Each structure stands twice: as C-alpha cells, then as structure tokens.
Amino acid sequence: THRHANTDEITPSIPQPYRLFAISNVGSMSALIVYPWLIEPRSSLREQATGVVLGFAVLAALCAVIAYSVRRAPLLHAAPVADDTTQSARTTVRDRILWVLLAACGSLLLSAVTNHLSQNVATIPLLWVIPLIAYLLSFVVAFSGGRWHPRWLVVTLYIASLVTAGYYLHKGDLEVPRAVLITAFTVSLFLQCLFFHSEVYRRRPAPRHLTAFYFYVAAGGAVGAMLVGVVAPTVLSGNYELVLGLIIAALLAFAVTWATGWIARGFWLAVTAVMGALAILQVRADRVNSILRVRNFYGSLHVTQVDDARYHAAVRTLYNGVIEHGQQVFSTTLGHSPTTYYGHPSGVGLALDLCCAARPRRNRWASSDRSERARSST
C-alpha cells in the first residue's frame, strides 16, 4: 500500500510480479552452485533420485495448496489505475520483436562464450558454470528494478564490455593468461547480458500481458542457444559465433537507442563496423596457410601447412580450436620421426625410449588382436 501526498487515504498498491523473476533466478543460481560442490560429491545416485522424487512431491503439494487457496479467495475488483508508469498498457509488434531479439542475443553470447572458454582457453571441469552464473545474475540485477542501476550506467558498462571482448578476441588466446581471459570474458558477458535484460525489463508490459511476455523471452533464449548449438556448427567452418554475436549486440544497441538521437546512432554504427572488421580479420587469420577446416558440434579441426626452415621441409599441423594436436614433417629423414605428443621428450616418447632395453616394443594387446584375426581368417 501507499499513502497519498495530500490526504491520509491509503490505497492498495499494484503488485510487481516481475521481481519474482529475479527471485526465481536467485534460486537457479543457488542450485547451480550447491549441487556440483555440495550435493553431488556427498550423495549417491540413489539418494539423489530419492531427493528428486520427494522434491517433486513437495512441489505438487504446494501447487495444490496454492490452487485451492486461490479458488476460495474472493475476487478483488481493483480500481482502473495504470499498472506502472514505465509499463506499456498495450504491446506492439516492435515490442515483441525486441523481446525475442534481446533475449536471443543474451543466450547466443552465453553459448558462444562458454564454447570459446571451454574449447579454446581451458578444458577445466565445470568451467561452463561460471558464464552461466554471470548470465543468471544479469537477470537478477535487471529484474530487481532499475533505480539503482540507471540506463546511462548500464550503457556505459556495455560499451566497455564490447571493447574488452573484442580486444581479447583479437589479441588471441595463447598470449594472455587463462585466468585473465576467463575473468575478462565472464565479466564482459555479464555486462552485455545486463544491458539486454535491462532493455527487456524497460519494455515490460502491464502484468496482464505477463504470460505472453515470458513466452517471447523464453522463445528468444531458445533461438539464441539453437543458433550456436545447431546452426553454427552446420554453416560455419570455424568458431566465429562469438564475434558474430558481438556484431549482433552492436546492432541491437543501435536499434534500442535509436530514439536518443543521431550521435548515438552514428556511434553504434561505428561500433558495428569495428566488430565487422574484427570478424573479417579473424576469418583471414584462420585462412593463412590453411589447407582444410572442418567443424561439428564438438569443435573445429584445422590443418595448416608451412615451409619450416628448421627442417628444410613442409610441415603439416593439426589444430583443435587453437590447440596443436599433431604435426607431420614431410622429409625423407624426418618423415617417420614422432612429433608433438609423441616426440622423444614427451611422456610417451620417454616411455618408448626407456623401456624394454633392446627388445621389441610391441603392445601385447595389439599382438593378441593380430593373432586372433589371423586364426579367424584361416
């Protein structure tokens, strides 16, 4: 309730259901943190299954209680007061399109940053949890109300996040410490998603349109994830969805700040052009000395060939993302020499060089398989 300024009359205030979305994401974040570190290591699968069943039973009981209480509650006829001065009384096609696009771009960047960190930066278990927490936290902050994070501040931080992501994407993943890269991309993801979700919150409709609003936001999230998980591995030969996501992010900023004037429009067009140039540079860099590039859902494979002055021969190298996974020297003297993982200084190379003395170094399992195949063929 609230009290009018000139009278002592007290009228019921309009409930704000959008804050419940922030609370629900706090619950999601809590579960995301608690389960991998507290529940899963300390509970058996049987105990976890029992907990899931009991949890669903409690949920069903609570839903039944709520449904029964609502059915018996008297129907309240509220006065025809506007829901909120910042909420639209009616929704337009433009609003619905922006709901989908803003939510889709946030989801796209979440998936793209997760792929980039886990495939190109570090293969750390549960690394995907960090960007997901940043994504959920952006919902919490955005839907908690915009009074303590004004739009000018969100936009300023958004610009800084685009610059940070573009800088480290251009600089490369092998010249920067992994902790710095993980922190930079995660913070950048949070600030960009905060911008998208704050703009979604600013365009929220009156509570009577709540169901449609969440439907469009959920649809946008699904579209963004499918673009990275399904479409990108099919149509892109490399990991370009992150830089393409930055281009889309700049274009969305251009669209949502259109009404602020020509200066903002020109600025965001310039940012879009810079991100486009970054994408072109990344594609060109990947094509240098490239003879094959393929990709699937799990990652990208890249084969290059260069004339190496050390060996006076052509050297062909296989990369998985930015990680070197194999090398072949095309030389009569070095053509059969082991390299990379299997070179003489490596663990495998030392094991082969130091074991067995002068005896043949043959795998007994491989020998038995060959013997078995020989007997079956006769």
Side-chain angles (χ1 to χ4, degrees):
T1 59
H2 67 274
R3 188 181 300 273
H4 290 285
N6 299 325
T7 67
D8 291 333
E9 180 185 356
I10 298 177
T11 58
S13 61
I14 302 299
Q16 296 300 318
Y18 291 99
R19 292 179 181 176
L20 297 176
F21 192 61
I23 296 173
S24 69
N25 279 283
V26 170
S28 299
M29 288 176 52
S30 301
L32 188 63
I33 295 172
V34 167
Y35 179 78
W37 282 279
L38 296 180
I39 297 178
E40 196 274 339
R42 295 171 172 80
S43 305
S44 65
L45 289 177
R46 184 180 182 85
E47 293 172 342
Q48 293 179 46
T50 303
V52 170
V53 172
L54 292 177
F56 274 113
V58 172
L59 177 62
L62 290 175
C63 290
V65 170
I66 293 172
Y68 182 76
S69 62
V70 171
R71 184 183 67 85
R72 294 181 59 86
L75 182 62
L76 298 178
H77 297 279
V81 182
D83 295 299
D84 192 336
T85 56
T86 61
Q87 295 172 358
S88 303
R90 56 186 296 271
T91 62
T92 64
V93 174
R94 182 177 182 273
D95 291 330
R96 292 190 287 269
I97 292 175
L98 284 176
W99 294 343
V100 173
L101 291 179
L102 289 167
C105 194
S107 176
L108 185 153
L109 287 175
L110 166 65
S111 301
V113 169
T114 302
N115 282 350
H116 183 74
L117 292 180
S118 58
Q119 295 179 10
N120 297 333
V121 176
T123 54
I124 301 175
L126 296 178
L127 179 61
W128 58 271
V129 172
I130 299 177
L132 182 54
I133 290 176
Y135 176 78
L136 295 175
L137 184 60
S138 69
F139 271 118
V140 174
V141 176
F143 279 76
S144 297
R147 295 181 180 178
W148 57 280
H149 57 281
R151 193 187 189 195
W152 67 266
L153 177 61
V154 174
V155 173
T156 302
L157 294 175
Y158 176 63
I159 295 171
S161 69
L162 285 176
V163 173
T164 301
Y167 171 77
Y168 282 108
L169 196 60
H170 176 66
K171 190 174 180 62
D173 302 316
L174 302 180
E175 301 179 8
V176 183
R178 286 179 292 181
V180 174
L181 284 174
I182 294 172
T183 303
F185 280 112
T186 302
V187 174
S188 176
L189 172 67
F190 167 74
L191 295 176
Q192 292 178 62
C193 290
L194 177 61
F195 172 78
F196 301 137
H197 300 153
S198 295
E199 291 298 322
V200 171
Y201 180 76
R202 288 184 67 252
R203 288 164 174 77
R204 67 196 186 281
R208 63 177 177 271
H209 300 295
L210 196 66
T211 302
F213 173 75
Y214 283 134
F215 171 79
Y216 285 109
V217 172
V223 169
M226 289 180 63
L227 287 175
V228 176
V230 179
V231 178
T234 305
V235 302
L236 299 179
S237 60
N239 298 99
Y240 305 130
E241 57 267 23
L242 181 52
V243 68
L244 293 178
L246 296 179
I247 295 174
I248 297 172
L251 287 174
L252 272 177
F254 171 76
V256 299
T257 60
W258 175 270
T260 58
W262 286 103
I263 295 178
R265 298 172 197 171
F267 173 79
W268 287 113
L269 283 178
V271 174
T272 304
V274 171
M275 295 302 167
L278 179 62
I280 293 173
L281 290 175
Q282 185 177 356
V283 173
R284 287 182 175 177
D286 287 346
R287 291 184 176 180
V288 174
N289 301 320
S290 176
I291 60 176
L292 178 66
R293 177 177 284 276
V294 294
R295 185 182 175 186
N296 60 17
F297 175 81
Y298 299 99
S300 61
L301 295 177
H302 184 203
V303 180
T304 64
Q305 181 168 313
V306 297
D307 292 326
D308 197 317
R310 295 174 300 171
Y311 305 115
H312 303 287
V315 176
R316 188 171 293 179
T317 308
L318 170 67
Y319 294 92
N320 186 348
V322 297
I323 308 301
E324 183 179 318
H325 273 284
Q327 193 175 80
Q328 176 68 48
V329 181
F330 288 88
S331 168
T332 55
T333 57
L334 299 174
H336 296 282
S337 298
T339 60
T340 60
Y341 295 153
Y342 311 101
H344 293 288
S346 68
V348 175
L350 292 173
L352 292 175
D353 291 340
L354 299 178
C355 86
C356 312
R359 292 180 286 109
R361 294 182 293 271
R362 177 177 296 176
N363 186 301
R364 65 188 184 91
W365 301 108
S367 302
S368 62
D369 289 342
R370 284 194 294 270
S371 301
E372 183 65 27
R373 288 196 297 269
R375 286 195 298 270
S376 61
S377 62
T378 57

